Amino acid sequence: MFAPGSIWNDTDDQPIQAHGGGILYDQGVYYWFGENKNGPTFLSPAGLERVDIVGISCYSSSDLVHWRNEGIVLPAVVDQPEHDLHAGKVVERPKVLYNARTRTYVMWFHVDTYDYTYARAGVAISDRATGPYHYLGSFAPCGTDCRDLTIFQDDDGIAYIVFASEWNRNLTIAQLTDDYRSTGPAFIKAFSTPHRSKGREAPAVFKNNGYYYLITSGCTGWAANAAECAVAPSLFGPWQVLGNPCTGQQAECTFDSQGTFVLPVSGYEGEFLFLADRWNPSNLSDSRYVWLPLRMHAGIPSITWHKTWDFSVFRDSQKRFPGSEGK
Ligand code: DGJ
């Protein structure tokens, strides 16, 4: 059973530390990667609440409810203050894809300085989902600054990055190179605004019935705001804004959370999980997870609050529950 906003313990009875995360489904196993924020929250010299980098956590599960801690698969660097992964830097929103061509797991994340002016994408690779991941370095994708990001693998194996650029004034959407380790020449700028505060961040992409959907948040730091969904026939657009996918009480603040990923539920075509973070800026390590069903109605996604829920909410979809394959 999911209990959005509650403390969620792993199979060792420890609170899960995988914030701003994403999920990789690989050979029947779900891997959840996220920011380990298990440290004290303090105000940075830039006046922003932060936790020093601990590393990127990985958890594994076969049912999406019970998660085993696979450890810190990309740890902070302790002894080189200039290193991108030094504890005093920022590493956010890790996402992992499997690259069949190179048989490697490729992780992308936002790398920054404490004042968010470095604004780069970082890439790390491993030959196992559970790591350890080897850091390749960071760069300015498409030659521009990069903050919140996600990556998405299409059915044809081509992968894309969606990232907040130009101080969040645009979302840049770029095709990755065949090895998923860099960006190629093709990209677009979408959701453009001249006002930095009116930009979009926290992108999450999913595909349904041949259409691409992109859910984003507004830019209000750790504070929750309204999500927005857009749809397009191609990741390169044209994007049409559909509006807020959340409905009911607290829809205007995404149920006091900020999206981070949308997961297609294996065995249930057209059913999705919306993954979000309920940030706690006074104690970031105690930020909670808000996972809710995302259901499609005539091509429009809808997310509603459930105090507790399980996969029986999808019962009318006449499909099997995850983990029940072959039973
Ligand atoms: C909003 C972003 O979505 C988060 O990942 C994080 O960078 C916070 N801002 C920091 O205030």
Side-chain angles (χ1 to χ4, degrees):
M1 195 171 70
F2 298 100
S6 301
I7 292 176
W8 196 351
N9 285 346
D10 63 19
T11 52
D12 296 328
D13 236 13
Q14 297 300 311
I16 293 173
Q17 280 292 335
H19 310 280
I23 291 190
L24 171 73
Y25 183 61
D26 186 48
Q27 298 180 53
V29 180
Y30 297 94
Y31 297 94
W32 178 4
F33 299 89
E35 304 156 26
N36 187 313
K37 289 192 168 309
N38 196 10
T41 299
F42 60 97
L43 270 190
S44 76
L48 302 166
E49 297 89 353
R50 62 168 277 122
V51 169
D52 275 351
I53 302 177
V54 178
I56 305 300
S57 300
C58 175
Y59 293 81
S60 63
S61 174
S62 57
D63 62 7
L64 292 168
V65 174
H66 302 94
W67 291 94
R68 176 187 136 109
N69 186 0
E70 300 287 352
I72 294 177
V73 296
L74 185 69
V77 168
V78 283
D79 51 354
Q80 301 167 52
E82 296 310 313
H83 196 287
D84 283 351
L85 305 182
H86 183 263
K89 303 286 178 70
V90 168
V91 161
E92 291 179 340
R93 300 187 175 270
K95 307 286 179 286
V96 174
L97 293 178
Y98 178 67
N99 185 278
R101 191 179 288 244
T102 58
R103 296 189 185 165
T104 49
Y105 296 83
V106 186
M107 179 189 287
W108 284 69
F109 44 90
H110 167 200
V111 175
D112 225 320
T113 40
Y114 69 80
D115 57 0
Y116 289 85
T117 58
Y118 188 58
R120 290 184 172 213
V123 179
I125 54 170
S126 175
D127 54 9
R128 288 156 40 111
T130 52
Y133 282 79
H134 167 68
Y135 186 55
L136 296 180
S138 71
F139 67 107
C142 310
T144 189
D145 58 315
C146 167
R147 292 184 178 81
D148 282 10
L149 63 78
T150 194
I151 49 176
F152 174 78
Q153 186 181 49
D154 209 343
D155 307 324
D156 57 6
I158 296 178
Y160 300 81
I161 182 172
V162 179
F163 63 96
S165 60
E166 290 83 24
W167 272 107
N168 299 345
R169 288 185 182 88
N170 300 295
L171 284 184
T172 301
I173 304 175
Q175 191 174 320
L176 299 186
T177 49
D178 287 349
D179 61 7
Y180 298 175
R181 296 179 193 187
S182 188
T183 46
F187 67 87
I188 62 154
K189 306 262 175 209
F191 308 96
S192 303
T193 166
H195 307 287
R196 195 165 132 180
S197 61
K198 296 220 162 55
R200 308 302 305 171
E201 57 184 4
V205 177
F206 65 100
K207 187 178 185 182
N208 186 56
N209 263 342
Y211 282 87
Y212 300 83
Y213 294 82
L214 176 60
I215 297 182
T216 56
S217 74
C219 299
T220 52
W222 300 117
N225 56 57
E228 183 179 276
C229 187
V231 63
S234 148
L235 277 161
F236 286 158
W239 287 95
Q240 183 200 345
V241 173
L242 296 173
N244 188 346
C246 302
T247 60
Q249 236 185 349
Q250 287 206 304
E252 73 294 343
C253 61
T254 319
F255 314 109
D256 193 15
S257 68
Q258 182 187 30
T260 184
F261 198 75
V262 175
L263 177 72
V265 181
S266 166
Y268 285 93
E269 206 180 323
E271 306 285 4
F272 300 87
L273 282 184
F274 175 68
L275 278 55
D277 296 285
R278 181 174 288 173
W279 301 112
N280 178 353
S282 60
N283 181 6
L284 284 163
S285 71
D286 188 37
S287 298
R288 306 286 174 82
Y289 312 101
V290 172
W291 288 21
L292 291 166
L294 181 158
R295 308 207 69 191
M296 302 298 297
H297 303 285
I300 309 286
S302 154
I303 305 167
T304 49
W305 176 253
H306 289 68
K307 196 164 180 287
T308 58
W309 66 282
D310 62 23
F311 289 102
S312 63
V313 301
F314 300 136
R315 63 183 168 271
D316 56 355
S317 77
Q318 307 269 321
K319 294 178 196 107
R320 292 180 302 173
F321 291 19
S324 72
E325 286 88 346
K327 286 183 192 152

